[in-house]
Amino acid sequence: MVCVAVDGVPIIGVIYYPFTDYTVWAMVGAGSSVKARASYNEKSPKVIVSLSHAGKVKPFIQEAFGNDTGIIAAGGAGYKVGALLDMPDKYEKADVYIHVTYIKKWDICAGNAILKALGGHMTTLKGEEIDYAGSEANEGGVLASVNMNHKALVEKLPNRENEIHN
């Protein structure tokens, strides 16, 4: 993954999927090699989460979206962003990407730039923009979506601020 951020704002993102030799890229305001999918399920979204934190995030997601919410556990922040996009059929499809624990900004910057270029959003769980200047740490979790009402998604999330730092 490669990201260019200017004044803390991601503007260029590149994600390479090595096992399939597939690359996606986007530049805010200048185009992309991938598009958002035609539709997403806002009422009962399929949520992609970190493979290493799937058990921890499941109650959080169920509280927000209901007990029948589909949860996909996967490795790699780039892969999880790809699940939100119009990728070849061999890739899993999700409506929302949620990460509830600490994550390094270098791991999410490229995906954020790609989503931003497609009109999507990647914010903290409180809906705050992630600033890529300064510290390498993003301690506010991640909520990522495209072609969905991101603010409404944020409002559905339970307030678990004391839990997301662990």
Side-chain angles (χ1 to χ4, degrees), residues 40-125:
Y40 295 84
N41 186 341
E42 289 193 53
K43 285 192 172 191
S44 182
K46 189 180 286 187
V47 181
I48 194 161
V49 302
S50 175
L51 188 60
S52 59
H53 300 107
K56 184 172 189 161
V57 74
K58 184 177 180 179
F60 181 86
I61 290 169
Q62 289 176 330
E63 187 175 335
F65 303 109
N67 290 336
D68 295 330
T69 302
I71 299 173
I72 302 167
Y79 182 86
K80 290 184 276 283
V81 168
L84 305 180
L85 306 175
D86 188 16
M87 300 278 279
D89 288 338
K90 58 186 155 196
Y91 292 91
E92 296 189 78
K93 307 287 187 225
D95 301 302
V96 178
Y97 165 26
I98 292 178
H99 189 90
V100 297
T101 60
Y102 167 97
I103 191 168
K104 292 191 176 170
K105 293 176 186 175
W106 55 260
D107 204 24
I108 56 175
C109 187
N112 195 338
I114 291 168
L115 290 173
K116 193 178 284 284
L118 298 174
H121 303 275
M122 181 181 284
T123 65
T124 66
L125 297 173

Side-chain angles (χ1 to χ4, degrees), residues 56 60 100-101 160-166:
K56 184 172 189 161
F60 181 86
V100 297
T101 60
R160 298 271 174 89
E161 184 164 343
N162 62 335
E163 294 178 23
I164 65 175
H165 299 292
N166 300 323

